Amino acid sequence: MRADDAVGFRVFTIDSQTGPTVHDMDARDLPPRVAALYAQASGPERVTLLNRLLRPLGPLALVTVAAGAFGGLLPSGPDARWREAEVSLDDTRRLGTAQVLALADYVAQKDPGVLVALTIDDAPEPPT
């Protein structure tokens, strides 16, 4: 995403104690937030996060994003064409935060709504 391609989002959240809140977000801020979530997530949470991030990717994107780090997730077998890539707990051990950042950056360009849905109010701030 180029610096001049800023896309603003207005996200509404409802907290049981503080009520509704409006958050103005810039799409450029979302990939680092998602990578920070991944860095602090447990193994099963990482699996869920990656599976949600991978949904909008086709086979070509899987083998090109993050220098092909997700290419090994391509389904195989006779019905592979109709199945989505699925991440296992073992996969999360080999996929680092930098690769997830590259994936999140790609998803931000393809379908930023996926990243908006993943980010939450108490997500850690990305490192500066």
Side-chain angles (χ1 to χ4, degrees):
M1 189 175 295
R2 295 187 328 249
D4 58 346
D5 287 344
V7 177
F9 288 95
R10 183 157 279 177
V11 178
F12 298 90
T13 59
I14 299 177
D15 184 278
S16 60
Q17 295 179 356
T18 61
T21 307
V22 178
H23 306 276
D24 289 320
M25 301 180 85
D26 185 330
R28 294 173 294 185
D29 297 334
L30 296 177
R33 289 180 66 108
V34 170
L37 283 172
Y38 181 82
Q40 295 187 353
S42 68
E45 292 170 329
R46 286 179 171 199
V47 169
T48 300
L49 185 124
L50 284 174
N51 280 326
R52 289 180 68 190
L53 280 174
L54 291 170
R55 279 188 198 142
L57 273 68
L60 184 58
L62 280 174
V63 298
T64 57
V65 168
F70 301 96
L73 301 175
L74 279 170
S76 60
D79 63 342
R81 182 176 181 181
W82 308 112
R83 290 185 296 152
E84 293 180 346
E86 276 192 47
V87 177
S88 70
L89 196 54
D90 287 337
D91 294 323
T92 66
R93 292 185 187 109
R94 70 174 180 77
L95 295 168
T97 305
Q99 293 160 321
V100 174
L101 177 60
L103 173 61
D105 188 51
Y106 178 85
V107 173
Q109 295 173 52
K110 183 170 174 77
D111 187 358
V114 171
L115 298 188
V116 171
L118 288 174
T119 57
I120 55 175
D121 286 345
D122 59 351
E125 289 299 316
T128 55

